[in-house]
Structures are given as structure tokens and as C-alpha cells.
Amino acid sequence: MTDTVEESPTDPGTGRSRWETVQPWLTLACRVGLAAVMITAAVTKYPPALGVEAVEAYELFPPEIAELIGYTLPLFELALALLLLMGLATRYTGLVSALLMVAFIAGILSAMARGLSIDCGCFGGGGQIDPAETTYGLSIARDLGFMALGAFIAIWPRSPLALDRALGLFR
Amino acid sequence: MGSEARKRARERIKEQREKEKKAAKRNRTLLVVGAAAAVVLLVVGIGYVILSSDRGDGYEGEIAQQTLQSDGSVVMAQEGAEAPVVQVYADYQCPACRQFENLNGDTLKEKAAQGEAIVQFHPVSIFAQQPVPTSSNSLRGAVAARTAADHDVFVEYNDILFANQPNQQEEGFAPSELQEWFDGLDTTEEQQADFAERLEQEEPVITEFTEEYVPALMSAAEQEVGQDNLRTMVLTDLIAWGEENGHDSSFLEGTYTGEIIDATGAAYTRYSGENAFSGTPSVYINGEILDNNATMTVRGLSDAIDSAGPGEVESEPADDGGGAE
């Protein structure tokens, strides 16, 4: 009867379960890891003219929209990285990051389905490539991993070194 | 009875407190989400302004004199200008080349018109080996540009081709379109007839090259020199190999299609080491290749030109003195 109440072993000192002790640090690791990914993705997309080409290669948007995305997407990634590092609105930043990955995956799947041979342009590069050199599977798997990081942060937003704590959220 | 009432009152107070707590939490969440949204807007907004400031403000002024060279390239420069030589290699079917043209086409025109740069355009076809329609679009565009150079409207025509770049998977640059664009420029009827005649001559050459000659040559080479060796060979090497192995390329002789293919091969052999030509767009200043940051930003290209010394054009003007006014 008694041992079914709390499944995780309890630290006698604090009365906290091991998960409760570890989870904030895992979330912090996810925040830093995902921020590093976002910064790398943003920086490698410079200069924006090449990013525009990468977006156009998906053939999903009219040129003006592709240009806007080419210019603003890396900035958006940079902003998300900043929020993750600051720990501001952690849950929602994690959620938005995960949704961004869902959008990326959808874009890659649609390129695949339409038989395009492009580089995903995830970390710079992009544009038409030799059909033998496409790596859609790898790109999707990578984005799924990043999505998992975002989802973890969204589900367990409590973490140390976060502005949220100072503002009274996810203590 | 009295204790019942007290109990209810206590519960009400408790409920009230819960509500207040929830409201406070909601407010805190709203505040934090609002702050986060503000951070996003700030980063994206300021970043956008900074990045956009690099986009040129357009150049509507005079275009410097254009001189056709014997190798089919075109020099755009003020007469007697002493300035760095900026060589631009582009394929009309290459999307990154269109981005380059959008971004820095005006930079080049302005620098040349002000005597600050000697710009040499090399139309090439890095896609000539690709399947149709990528290859045929690429060649047709380059051949049309080469023909426009005969009539001193290369620079204007170059802009039109990039503005109308077809999708790589779809047949584009139809001869009728190419003619229409040429006719729309400041050209005489005689020039337009010449242009039409040239396109008509080249069209079957491009078709034979992309649909018969290259596929046959590639499959023969694949079997005999192997995939790995084949990958290291540029098209002109492959054509030379074909010449010794029963793939007659004489139909290219004297055609602009052949000239473009030769110009592309020459680009590969002209540079080596760090400056090796490996794709388009490639921009060289006095023989030194520029990196992406210099090629694909207005400031990068301007600074690179401004900081370079005067250079010499290595090619000779074409015999007919194209570009003479």
C-alpha cells in the first residue's frame, strides 16, 4: 500500500523525488542545446541572399514571401535562442521551437513528395543538388530530435538560471 | 448551525484566494509571454533593418561601355579606366546567380560607370551536362546573352534573363521569349533579324548536344572510365575524351553553344588552388576569388572592390570591335 503512493525513490534529505531533482537540470541542458542549434542554424544562413535561394528551392512561396522568410527566419531562430538562454517564457519558447521544427519537417516532406532534389538549407547551403546527394531522412531525423528538445522544455519548463523564476513562473 | 455558516464562509474565502492566486499567475504568464514576444519583435525587427540596409538602393544611371571580347565575355568599363578587374561567372539557370544579380547587379553597374571597376561578365553553363531541361535552359540563356553581346546590349539582356529565370525542372527561355526580350531593347530591325537567325541556328545544336550527344557520351564514359573518374572530369575534358572514343563533337564548331562550353571549360582551367573555379556565381577581383560574404552582400562586394588595386583585363577585344559606338 505505502510503496505504490510514490514510485520514484525519495531523497530523505529534501523529500524530493530523484526526478524532481534531475528534471530542472535536464531542462537547462535542453535549453542550452537547442539554443546552440538555433544559433548555428541562424549564423550559417548568412548572407541572407543565399537563405532566400534556399527558401525558393522549396517552391512553396512566391518570390516576395520567400525573400521575407530568407531574411527573417534566421533572425527568428536567433530570437528563440536568446529566449532559451534567458529562460524567458520557457514553456512557450520550447513549444514554439518544437512547432518550428514541425514546420521544417513538413517542408522537407513536401519537397520529398514532389520529387525535388534540394538541400534542406537547415544549416546554410540549400538549393538544387544532385538527386543522389539528397539527405531528407537525415534532415528529418535531426529535426525530430530538435523537436523533442523543444517538447521536453515545454512539458517540464522548470529549470535553474531562468528569468522565469525571478518573475515567479515555473519555480 | 453557526459552525456550518463559519465553515461555508471559510470555504468562500478559500475559493476567493484560489481565484486570486490563479489570476495572479495568469497575469504573470501574460507578462512573461508579452516580454518574450517583445524580445522576438525587437531581434527580428532590428535585425531586418540591419540586413535590409545592405540591399542596394537601385542604380538607374548610365551603363558604362560594353566591349565584347574574343572569348565571348563582355567587359563593362569606362574607357581607359584604371580600376580593379571584377570577373563574374554566372549561369542563367543557376538560382544563386539570380540572387547575386538581384543583389549586386546594380553595384557592378554603378562601380563600372564611375570608373571604380572594370567588370568582365563571363556567361558560362555549369549545367550543360545536366539532364534536359536544366541543361537546355542554361545553354539557351547563355547563347542568347552571347548573341545580345554582338549587338552591345549584353548588360541589359543579362538583367532580363535573370529576371525571367525558369524553374530548373521546367522548359524555359523559349526562343520566342528570348526574341521578344531582345526586340524590347533599344535594337534595330536588322539586329533583331540577326538575333533571330542566330537563335534558329543554335537551337538544333543545343537539342543535339543535350538530348543525344551528352547522354551517349556520359553513358560511354561511365562504363569506360568509371563513375569516380567521371566525377573529376569537367565537360571539356569529357568532350576531349569523347573525341578519341568515337563521339564526334564537330557539330559544336563555330557555334555559340560550343563557345559557351569552351568558356566554361576555360574557367575551370584558368584558376587553381584556393582560387579554383567550382561553381557559379563566382566573382574574382584581380584573379582572387571572393567568398560568399563578399559576393552575396552589397557592402562586402563594394568593400572588396574599393580595397583592390587596378588590374589588367587579360582577354582581347573581339575582332569586330563589338561595343564600338
Side-chain angles (χ1 to χ4, degrees):
Chain A
M1 190 58 194
T2 44
D3 56 2
T4 54
V5 174
E6 182 76 83
E7 277 193 345
S8 9
T10 307
D11 183 333
T14 62
R16 284 185 167 184
S17 72
R18 183 177 291 168
W19 171 249
E20 278 175 52
T21 317
V22 169
Q23 173 269 312
W25 296 100
L26 287 179
T27 299
L28 179 64
C30 288
R31 277 169 48 201
V32 173
L34 194 54
V37 168
M38 293 284 192
I39 290 172
T40 313
V43 169
T44 49
K45 287 190 181 84
Y46 187 87
L50 291 177
V52 174
E53 186 214 339
V55 177
E56 282 183 348
Y58 282 87
E59 297 175 20
L60 287 169
F61 308 101
E64 300 78 30
I65 304 293
E67 181 159 334
L68 188 67
I69 295 174
Y71 273 77
T72 53
L73 176 61
L75 296 167
F76 186 59
E77 290 172 328
L78 216 52
L80 288 179
L82 193 64
L83 291 178
L84 286 167
L85 289 178
M86 294 195 298
L88 186 62
T90 311
R91 163 164 284 162
Y92 308 98
T93 309
L95 183 68
V96 169
S97 306
L99 290 177
L100 184 64
M101 294 305 157
V102 172
F104 289 160
I105 292 169
I108 298 169
L109 283 175
S110 98
M112 245 173 115
R114 285 173 293 149
L116 301 181
S117 304
I118 61 172
D119 181 292
C120 75
C122 306
F123 296 96
Q128 301 270 348
I129 52 169
D130 195 279
E133 286 171 11
T134 54
T135 53
Y136 294 129
L138 182 73
S139 306
I140 291 173
R142 211 168 44 187
D143 284 353
L144 280 173
F146 301 151
M147 189 185 79
L149 294 182
F152 189 98
I153 295 167
I155 297 168
W156 294 288
R158 199 161 59 86
S159 63
L161 304 175
L163 270 182
D164 281 345
R165 296 199 125 179
L167 296 167
L169 271 191
F170 317 127
R171 275 185 194 275
Chain B
M1 193 64 187
S3 81
E4 264 302 299
R6 263 204 302 278
K7 201 175 159 195
R8 249 180 282 154
R10 262 206 308 274
E11 263 169 21
R12 261 205 306 277
I13 291 169
K14 207 176 145 197
E15 267 172 32
Q16 188 62 30
R17 277 206 192 122
E18 283 292 313
K19 252 189 208 162
E20 277 167 13
K21 237 169 130 184
K22 263 189 192 158
K25 196 181 171 213
R26 209 172 37 233
N27 285 344
R28 272 202 302 272
T29 306
L30 278 178
L31 177 81
V32 165
V33 169
V39 168
V40 170
L41 281 179
L42 217 64
V43 170
V44 174
I46 293 176
Y48 188 73
V49 169
I50 293 174
L51 292 179
S52 299
S53 75
D54 185 64
R55 280 189 278 197
D57 31 8
Y59 175 73
E60 300 290 333
E62 290 268 303
I63 292 173
Q65 186 177 313
Q66 317 177 26
T67 314
L68 177 65
Q69 305 291 296
S70 57
D71 62 359
S73 64
V74 173
V75 169
M76 169 175 74
Q78 257 187 6
E79 214 176 332
E82 282 192 25
V85 176
V86 183
Q87 311 215 51
V88 179
Y89 294 85
D91 183 317
Y92 291 103
Q93 182 59 83
C94 133
C97 301
R98 185 167 61 86
Q99 297 297 342
F100 171 75
E101 160 74 18
N102 282 345
L103 195 71
N104 269 328
D106 283 346
T107 314
L108 294 176
K109 278 184 214 151
E110 195 171 349
K111 291 275 179 202
Q114 291 168 350
E116 290 168 5
I118 299 168
V119 179
Q120 186 167 19
F121 293 101
H122 296 266
V124 294
S125 175
I126 56 163
F127 292 140
Q129 242 166 302
Q130 300 270 322
V132 175
T134 307
S135 55
S136 45
N137 288 349
S138 163
L139 282 169
R140 219 181 281 120
V143 163
R146 170 66 189 82
T147 313
D150 283 335
H151 305 289
D152 305 333
V153 288
F154 172 86
V155 176
E156 296 85 343
Y157 201 74
N158 180 68
D159 288 351
I160 298 176
L161 287 176
F162 278 122
N164 292 284
Q165 184 178 74
N167 182 301
Q168 258 168 303
Q169 318 306 340
E170 288 161 23
E171 188 86 34
F173 288 152
S176 58
E177 287 179 311
L178 294 170
Q179 182 72 44
E180 208 177 290
W181 297 330
F182 184 80
D183 296 354
L185 291 172
D186 187 15
T187 49
T188 64
E189 265 177 41
E190 196 185 335
Q191 288 175 319
Q192 293 168 11
D194 265 6
F195 188 88
E197 193 186 333
R198 174 54 77 167
L199 286 200
E200 207 174 307
Q201 284 168 14
E202 298 286 335
E203 194 55 25
V205 178
I206 293 173
T207 306
E208 181 176 352
F209 182 80
T210 56
E211 293 179 23
E212 293 162 37
Y213 175 81
V214 167
L217 181 64
M218 292 281 275
S219 70
E222 216 164 281
Q223 281 176 11
E224 285 169 51
V225 300
Q227 274 265 293
D228 293 338
N229 286 332
L230 187 57
R231 219 166 282 156
T232 65
M233 290 168 81
V234 300
L235 183 55
T236 36
D237 294 342
L238 199 58
I239 291 173
W241 177 88
E243 212 51 60
E244 292 164 14
N245 290 274
H247 295 266
D248 182 17
S249 65
S250 61
F251 69 101
L252 292 172
E253 272 167 32
T255 66
Y256 283 0
T257 307
E259 201 178 295
I260 295 296
I261 291 163
D262 287 343
T264 313
Y268 283 103
T269 50
R270 189 169 295 141
Y271 306 98
S272 59
E274 279 178 15
N275 292 319
F277 174 84
S278 62
T280 54
S282 283
V283 179
Y284 293 82
I285 295 186
N286 296 339
E288 300 272 328
I289 197 163
L290 297 188
D291 64 13
N292 271 340
N293 289 349
T295 309
M296 291 307 227
T297 59
V298 174
R299 199 170 301 126
L301 183 63
S302 298
D303 288 351
I305 292 173
D306 293 345
S307 61
E312 287 291 325
V313 175
E314 282 172 23
S315 56
E316 294 293 323
D319 296 339
D320 67 8
E325 283 180 37

